Amino acid sequence: MMKKLLSIAMLSCAVTFASAAVDAKPLRLGPVSVYGTLGVKSGKIVSQASGKQVMLRGMSLFWSDATGSQYYNPTVISWAAEKLGIDVFRFAMGIKCYNSNGGDCQANSDDAIISANSYLGNKEGKEAQLDNMVKAAIENDIYIIVDWHSHRAESEKSYAKDFFGRMAAKYKDVPNIIWEVYNEPVNTDMGTIAGYANEVISTIRGNGSKHLALVGTPFYSQMGSCSGVNDANSAYVFHFYAASHSLGSFKGNIEGCLNGGKAVFITEWGTTDANGTGNVSSSETNNWTSYMDQKNIPNCNWSLRHATIGGKTEASAMFDGSTLLNSKAALDNAKYTTSGNLVKSYLTKHNNKNWADSLVAGKNTGSCAFKGASASEMDGTITGKAVSSCTYTSSDPTVATVENGTIKINGAGYAVMTGNDNSQSVVLITQVPAQTFEQAAITCRITGGGACNNFTGNSSAKLEYKMKVTKTVEGSDVTYESDNPSVISVAKATCTSSECYGDKGQQVWIATFKSRGTANIHATAKAISGYRALDTTITFSLLKAEQTLNTKYFKDQTVALNSTTQVFTLEAHKVPVTYTIYPAGYAEQQGVNLIAGGKNATVIIKAEAPENDQYESLLSYIKIVIGTGDVAMEAQAWAEIQGQNFIAPKTQKNLAPTLRMNGSQLVVDVKRSGFVKVQVLDVAGRNVVSNVSRYMKAGTNTVDLANVPRGLYIVAVKDGSAMQTIRWRNK
């Protein structure tokens, strides 16, 4: 409903795969373990397992752009589940940049974005972000709405079917999932919406997902009509903003659907005007929340973020101020907006559900039954609950087991203990959060510079590094110890040099790099109230300097036929450099110059130099296009470099893909749909990513290379017989 220009600019560097969501397990007990996968029965949203009606209350995240993505954070979700009692949250995945009427953003406006920062230009990054949030939903045992947050989804049908089909297959066995296939149609009639939804939902079902599917309704999901969707396990979406949409004016739309046997889910509601600003209407908000509770309509408030970002203020945001709140401590101390206070009151009023009793309802009776067994994962054991004369089978021994009446704690989560009398009892083990530690791994070069300098004035110290972190974010003092002090030692020392800045004259932790090699630096901090002790290691290394060539000359470039161009550097740091041109016969080296032949060609030049006392060995590549170039010849060159036989391709030059790097995202523009191969080579010519085959549609595609270690690489993409390469330094 947010009637304004909404830019969907995801921070591609912010998202990585911690681990696959499908491998996660609940670390607390919530509605998903009780209800399971949701569905629709007799016009109500129900548990598919029991058929009982389900009522959910939660929050929608803001658009997954540069503004909203800051809150797409597992810590935020865990906090909201614990402190606000949310049963569900909404992943508002922006597809591209729209204005409030569903049209394109203005080309040069502040809201205009490059395609690589939208879902359509950054699929890998967005899907990685989704996986992290599905994992957070699983661990908190709450539902996640996967929302195609679009104003014109019918024109994006092929993309939606591709996305929902693949995600349905991936998450078909994850009960936490709810699909929202269309957020807010604008000028689209219900027949068109339903036609789109039927195709997308059919794709979801065809890929094994039985999860509840939600469908937007006309005019910003105001529900002027709700019909035409032929999937029995689907519900219709309604949105309201209390200061713009009074209950008296709009409840008739909802009741028209409910009375027609249609299920309704309010996936977005606010306390303000429809544009997210303006005054908060407390009275109308209370009317709506009472109505939703009375009718058992599941709902999500808009939105979980702080109010002021980039000079713009969202009155509908949960938190006041302009400070990012994505740690538990920051959220605990957050100040709420007027809207946030209303929403907090509504959510926490219902944060008293006893999920443990619901899970074993009717089974928590018998001589072996017990109630109220809960503890922290740090407690070790629980006594006085289980019956010593009974034996118990644990549903999850990694959480807890029972031996002779003592409950042994093995980890966070919950376990159902089935006694030998078939009674069932629940053990809840609360996860103690880790402290936040933000000291990065450090690599220094023996030639100095960068992060490594002299901080203590000790002339015998080769190089030193002043630790950035002396306390965890939560306030516990950090202690460091090296496992290889003959290479890198760590100790407290007085910072004396001009490099110390604000720490001059202070006792700080200093790492001293004594000789080439690597050491693991052990960082510890004592447990403090609400957080477990810190115990981790970070890697520090002292390496030779990197050899480099003069990039003024040795660089990718286009040269004219029969031209002479300075390209080469004869020595690198007093070490001779050897050059090889692939394939031979189209250009030659004469001293520092490249003499181009008279034919259109594309050649690869490999530069090699041995290591010496101070510098690492060198292996580097550049591409020279002679005249108009020859794409097939470039593929031949790489085949020769890799020692492979080359079969001359029969392909048109204009079918070659174009490549660029956007941080750790490889952006590939292909001319035709089909399978392409992606390969990443290190400077030694070894495969780091080897011939990964990906189906790409004509246009812009992305490949996430975030897991590739730091270094210099050649990235090659082969589309049929056409190949393109680029150099990439992953920093």
Side-chain angles (χ1 to χ4, degrees), residues 12-22 123-135 167 170-171 665 704-707:
S12 61
C13 62
V15 183
T16 58
F17 278 109
S19 62
V22 293
K123 295 180 183 179
E124 292 274 341
K126 297 298 292 183
E127 290 170 15
Q129 186 182 43
L130 174 61
D131 202 67
N132 280 338
M133 290 294 93
V134 171
K135 184 171 183 283
M167 296 304 104
K170 182 175 184 178
Y171 300 125
Q665 300 289 319
D704 185 14
L705 300 179
N707 290 328

Side-chain angles (χ1 to χ4, degrees), residues 315-353:
S316 60
M318 171 71 80
F319 305 113
D320 199 9
S322 57
T323 302
L324 173 63
L325 306 165
N326 60 1
S327 71
K328 183 176 182 296
L331 289 161
D332 283 342
N333 294 306
K335 182 180 179 182
Y336 293 81
T337 60
T338 301
S339 176
N341 276 315
L342 277 172
V343 176
K344 177 187 176 184
S345 176
Y346 173 62
L347 293 173
T348 55
K349 179 174 67 175
H350 299 283
N351 191 17
N352 55 4
K353 300 174 283 289

Side-chain angles (χ1 to χ4, degrees), residues 144 176 213-214 247 279 368 374 410 453 571 597 657:
I144 176 172
N176 310 66
L214 307 177
L247 177 64
N279 294 324
C368 297
S374 60
N410 300 316
N453 286 288
E571 288 188 336

Side-chain angles (χ1 to χ4, degrees), residues 602 629-636 651-653 656 721-724:
T602 300
D630 186 324
V631 172
M633 187 179 294
E634 181 182 350
Q636 177 184 350
T651 184
Q652 295 181 9
K653 180 170 54 182
S721 55
M723 178 185 284
Q724 286 282 46

